[in-house]
Amino acid sequence: MSAQDNNSMTPVPALSVLAYFGASPKFQRVKPTSNLVRPCAQQLRSYWERIGKPGVDLTAELESRLAALHQVPEVVAANSGFWMLALLIEAARSPGRCEVIMPSLTYRRMADIVSWLGLVPHFCDIDPQTLANSTATVADCMNSQTALVIGVHPVGGHCDIEGLQELCRYSGVPLIFDSVEAVAELHQGRVIGGFGCAELFSLGASKLINGFEGGYVTTADAALASDLRCRVRGQGPGRTLTAPLPALHAAMALAGLDELEAQLQRNGERFERYALGLKSLSGLRLVTPDPSYRPSYKNIVVEVTEAWPLSRDITVELLNAENILARAYYHPPLTHKPIAYPHRVGLLPHTDWAATRFISMPCGHQVSLTDIDGIIETLQRIQELSYHINQSVIIGKTL
Ligand SMILES: *Cc1c(COP(=O)(O)O)cnc(C)c1O
């Protein structure tokens, strides 16, 4: 052994097992956080071969299947959750008022949509327990300009549906829910989809029901549904667009719906596998939904607590280097980046707190139980090497 090998300046050899420090990644193929469900090809073909035949309207068929799933009288589909949300906000809001209350820790385009409609996003805080906007945080933002409240179900939980309904009824403000994260779940024994004026869902490839792209609204309000149908065809008042759901997308979503139960089962198995693995890892807490929700486990989120020796961000970077595409949960909150249009925001202490603590873990159709074991092994290794990692990252940053 040469004198140089003993030099205290040589990098810590143990770190070279991690891809971030030069090893080859743990996984050859990336492990995504998106659901990316692939339905049975034969089933998909059996739907799409009917496209164009007389009397066949797959989009209408999908709408009635979704109405049955959500136990609501009306479903209106459009070409994306994004445009469906734009049409719904425009249709549901109180005329003559301009503010839309929404959380900052949410879907990254929500405020852009509101601004595009000529309205003003008013950002509210979240409840640290549920990670959702709560009755108290929404009430804080209510004023004579409040045109609409958007309750957003976070990953692994529900917002306070009853509390928000009561607040909005009392204040005379319409309430809609973004329920993209709560498809097929139950709330106090009732299927999500029939609360508020209407609820929004997405059929994007990363969602529970994959239509490649697409979105829909569930509602019990027949007048709102027929207004939305006009708007989807480009015939509505106000800022219009034409956004029908193409039949091929409906075919994909129908094929996915046929296998929904099996998918929920597999998602549950993935969640249990994480639960088992994380038991041996102090410092990472699995966000565990209330079992009475019949959770879909469409996404799986862990909290990086004080007991974990590394920051959330460096943990995500280390995982990403291994082709484990974990992501910071709803990062950044909408109010943590410059906003170029009129908006309102006060202090959001719980949003700021949550912004540094949560990780969305790989899950869904492309992630096997063995992959999850590998992800847990990697986290164990990262934990064991945390002292050296912190040293090296600190030195790397100061150089
Ligand atoms: C994905 C998503 C949307 C938008 O749906 P797209 O179909 O992707 O446009 C809206 N809200 C939430 C919470 C989402 O996750």
Side-chain angles (χ1 to χ4, degrees), residues 63-117:
E63 286 174 342
S64 53
R65 285 278 298 278
L66 292 169
L69 174 73
H70 292 284
Q71 295 171 17
V72 289
E74 304 281 353
V75 169
V76 182
N79 63 2
S80 67
F82 176 91
W83 288 121
M84 191 76 254
L85 181 57
L87 296 174
L88 175 60
I89 292 170
E90 182 96 315
R93 60 127 169 166
S94 277
R97 298 170 168 205
C98 66
E99 290 186 11
V100 177
I101 299 177
M102 68 176 68
S104 163
L105 191 81
T106 191
Y107 163 55
R108 68 195 163 91
R109 306 293 299 279
M110 192 173 282
D112 300 346
I113 294 173
V114 167
S115 168
W116 184 78
L117 291 166

Side-chain angles (χ1 to χ4, degrees), residues 160-184:
D160 176 11
I161 295 177
E162 288 75 22
L164 287 174
Q165 289 192 144
E166 200 171 310
L167 172 70
C168 289
R169 203 178 307 121
Y170 177 77
S171 327
V173 173
L175 167 68
I176 63 171
F177 290 101
D178 179 328
S179 303
V180 171
E181 288 297 337
V183 185

Side-chain angles (χ1 to χ4, degrees), residues 5-59:
D5 289 331
N6 275 332
N7 190 321
S8 63
M9 291 306 287
T10 45
V12 182
L15 286 181
S16 62
V17 299
L18 294 172
Y20 186 85
F21 296 96
S24 54
K26 173 90 177 169
F27 294 103
Q28 289 303 304
R29 289 189 59 180
V30 295
K31 302 298 159 194
T33 53
S34 291
N35 244 37
L36 301 171
V37 175
R38 221 187 279 183
C40 162
Q42 218 175 343
Q43 195 70 355
L44 174 57
R45 179 168 310 142
S46 75
Y47 283 110
W48 96 44
E49 280 174 353
R50 292 173 46 222
I51 295 174
K53 299 230 166 97
V56 171
D57 181 346
L58 286 188
T59 300

Side-chain angles (χ1 to χ4, degrees), residues 176-195:
I176 63 171
F177 290 101
D178 179 328
S179 303
V180 171
E181 288 297 337
V183 185
E185 297 190 352
L186 298 176
H187 189 82
Q188 315 244 340
R190 263 180 74 189
V191 187
I192 294 283
F195 297 100

